[in-house]
Amino acid sequence: MVTEEDIQAVQGLISFIESCPSMFHTASTIAARLEAQGFVRLPEGASWQGKLEPGGCYYVVRNGSSVIAFKVGERAVDDPDRYHFQLTAAHGDSPTFKVKAAPELDGPEGTLRLNVEAYGGMIDYTWFDRPLSVAGRVLVRAGDRVESRLVAPDRDLLLIPSLAIHLDRGVNDGFSPNRASDLCPLVSAGELGAGSFDTFVAEEAGVEPGQVLARDLFLVNRQPARVWGAAREFVSSPKLDDLMCVYTSLTAFLAARNPGCVQVFCCFDNEEVGSNTKQGAMSTFLPDVLARATAALGFAPEDYRRALAKSMLVSCDNAHAVHPNKPEKYDAGNRCRLNCGIVVKEAANQHYCTDAFSRAVFRAVCERAGVPCQSFANRSDMAGGSTLGNLSNIQASMHAVDVGCAQLAMHSSYETAGVCDVRLATRALQAFFEADVRIDGAEAVTFA
Ligand code: ZN
């Protein structure tokens, strides 16, 4: 049953998503929330020696689009035999379309359209017939410097119109739009000509058109989030994958108290395009932060390796709830529902990093917190996706479990999840951060 607390939690999620129209805005929103809680920013290019201490809270940003924050417990460094990390990781990017370097298609018939290409694997038809905008970063010349400025025009700017059914009688038999020719957003019906988009972007960035050197701009679905359903069970919004996990893991991280370990929150960019960028989950970002923090806390390089062996990562990315119109698409028993608690995902091919050990630890944590756990596996005759955990483990290998909130319509421009799951996921992840997890090899774990 949906409670007022659930509604409040989901309103928190909705306002978070509204402040994250691009991955750059996601990182900046997270950084602002960390700063408000007294976290100290550590530039990657500066020395961290002498800057860290027990009880301190810190964060690092790479590329303006990935964030790692950590809290050093008051007693975390007392005993090198107990020094370890308890981490969550989620991703701040979502499938969308990116505006190309030469951004405009001039014509036909006096119209102006944008030239865009796919970022990630979206459901194309969900981008038609709804108001869109753009958001991202613009690199501008400022004197002898080049600076990044975030832009997110708060207005209905673009739309990709459908072709009338009278001109495409087969549309309901199978709609397969061509990304080069059918998915070009309309920006003007003739009022504006070539070059206008860059002028508009410069205005939004607060500079002269000649100062704009480059941009990373992405389409944004402007349809506002809604709580709906007979008993207000559902929340629909753009970008629930994976901002629902970013929000719940961040909320849990900020609320959690654990003096005995280093708690780490990660939000990675570029999951939707494979994570293999300098700031993605497969990059050196996580091990760089963990190793440098360990050194700055006075430990030897070997202590970092020892800490990883005792650490655990909860990789948080949403899961597929059973679609009521297509229940045959899901495994017979390993299937999950909306509003029924956090989902543990497992695959024999290890595209999910869950194994019996990490599942057991996470399950024990959830049981202690009173949060129900569900299981998800793909049908044995269907290939599934992959996510952050197995990729980040390439650079920083540790025990890891893949979890997420159940949702419908993943990679639609407007996705649907369960209202109760915001609070349930937050509780489970806070319980994980607060559990005194002491791992002994791959065989045993003790909870204080
Ligand atoms: Zn995802």
Side-chain angles (χ1 to χ4, degrees):
M1 170 145 152
V2 178
T3 65
E4 281 312 311
E5 275 180 301
D6 291 320
I7 297 294
Q8 267 180 21
V10 90
Q11 293 300 348
L13 167 67
I14 289 170
S15 60
F16 179 78
I17 291 176
E18 284 171 352
S19 63
C20 301
S22 77
M23 57 284 264
F24 302 103
H25 291 83
T26 303
S28 143
T29 297
I30 292 167
R33 293 191 178 197
L34 294 168
E35 292 274 346
Q37 301 267 326
F39 280 70
V40 176
R41 183 166 182 160
L42 299 171
E44 285 199 279
S47 170
W48 297 2
Q49 288 302 319
K51 302 258 175 67
L52 274 60
E53 58 186 22
C57 299
Y58 311 92
Y59 75 100
V60 191
V61 180
R62 185 175 281 189
N63 188 53
S65 62
S66 288
V67 183
I68 296 178
F70 58 98
K71 303 199 280 193
V72 184
E74 289 82 355
R75 300 199 306 277
V77 301
D78 289 0
D79 179 358
D81 289 338
R82 305 254 301 245
Y83 176 73
H84 72 284
F85 314 104
Q86 291 176 208
L87 313 88
T88 61
H91 65 90
D93 62 324
S94 299
T96 176
F97 292 88
K98 185 176 183 187
V99 180
K100 288 185 170 177
E104 291 166 340
L105 299 167
D106 199 3
E109 309 303 320
T111 59
L112 194 67
R113 295 171 299 153
L114 287 191
N115 191 357
V116 299
E117 61 181 320
Y119 174 91
M122 73 289 290
I123 304 174
D124 288 347
Y125 69 78
T126 64
W127 286 87
F128 283 83
D129 299 330
R130 54 186 75 212
L132 309 172
S133 189
V134 291
R137 69 174 172 186
V138 179
L139 274 298
V140 301
R141 191 187 288 111
D144 56 359
R145 282 167 58 79
V146 174
E147 291 177 359
S148 173
R149 305 264 169 95
L150 296 190
V151 296
D154 184 17
R155 53 177 285 195
D156 301 331
L157 185 67
L158 312 157
L159 189 137
I160 307 170
S162 291
L163 185 61
I165 193 167
H166 316 76
L167 306 178
D168 184 9
R169 291 288 180 190
V171 65
N172 290 331
D173 303 328
F175 180 49
S176 176
N178 180 296
R179 284 184 176 168
S181 56
D182 296 332
L183 279 149
C184 308
L186 187 59
V187 63
S188 176
E191 293 289 315
L192 302 177
S196 324
F197 182 71
D198 271 336
T199 306
F200 171 79
V201 168
E203 272 170 28
E204 287 293 321
V207 298
E208 295 298 318
Q211 289 175 266
V212 174
L213 296 171
R215 47 185 150 57
D216 288 320
L217 291 180
F218 299 86
L219 297 193
V220 178
N221 177 7
R222 297 267 299 163
Q223 189 164 357
R226 288 281 185 271
V227 173
W228 60 279
R232 301 183 298 173
E233 305 100 313
F234 303 103
V235 55
S236 293
S237 166
K239 296 154 81 83
L240 289 173
D241 170 20
D242 189 29
L243 294 183
M244 191 169 181
C245 283
V246 174
Y247 177 75
T248 52
S249 59
L250 179 63
T251 306
F253 171 74
L254 291 175
R257 293 284 168 268
N258 187 340
C261 74
V262 180
Q263 302 166 66
V264 186
F265 160 87
C266 310
C267 175
F268 289 115
D269 190 7
N270 300 134
E271 194 273 346
E272 299 294 357
V273 291
S275 294
N276 54 353
T277 58
K278 65 187 181 301
Q279 61 277 355
M282 235 197 296
S283 73
T284 61
F285 189 27
L286 179 59
D288 286 349
V289 170
L290 299 182
R292 292 184 67 184
T294 300
L297 288 165
F299 287 115
E302 190 194 20
D303 294 316
Y304 167 64
R305 303 284 167 198
R306 294 178 64 200
L308 284 189
K310 291 175 280 179
S311 296
M312 179 149 167
L313 167 72
V314 179
S315 162
C316 308
D317 200 356
N318 273 3
H320 304 298
V322 171
H323 194 299
N325 294 345
K326 290 281 180 199
E328 69 277 12
K329 291 284 186 184
Y330 301 80
D331 184 69
N334 298 277
R335 44 169 60 192
C336 55
R337 298 181 189 181
L338 302 181
N339 291 323
C340 289
I342 200 158
V343 182
V344 176
K345 302 183 274 181
E346 189 169 343
N349 63 15
Q350 292 297 293
H351 288 181
Y352 298 131
C353 54
T354 307
D355 58 20
F357 183 82
S358 61
R359 177 191 287 274
V361 174
F362 192 74
R363 207 174 138 184
V365 165
C366 287
E367 273 174 16
R368 283 158 54 108
V371 177
C373 247
Q374 310 188 71
S375 280
F376 175 86
N378 292 294
R379 269 181 66 115
S380 305
D381 56 359
M382 285 174 71
S386 98
T387 174
L388 300 158
N390 61 325
L391 299 176
S392 74
N393 252 343
I394 295 167
Q395 296 282 358
S397 311
M398 65 187 89
H399 292 292
V401 61
D402 259 304
V403 309
C405 299
Q407 73 157 87
L408 298 169
M410 191 176 285
H411 291 195
S412 167
S413 76
Y414 202 66
E415 301 173 324
T416 293
V419 160
C420 302
D421 289 324
V422 179
R423 216 154 60 88
L424 291 172
T426 307
R427 262 171 53 199
L429 296 172
Q430 184 173 345
F432 164 71
F433 277 124
E434 292 185 336
D436 191 8
V437 177
R438 288 186 221 147
I439 293 175
D440 180 8
E443 300 295 322
V445 59
T446 312
F447 295 96

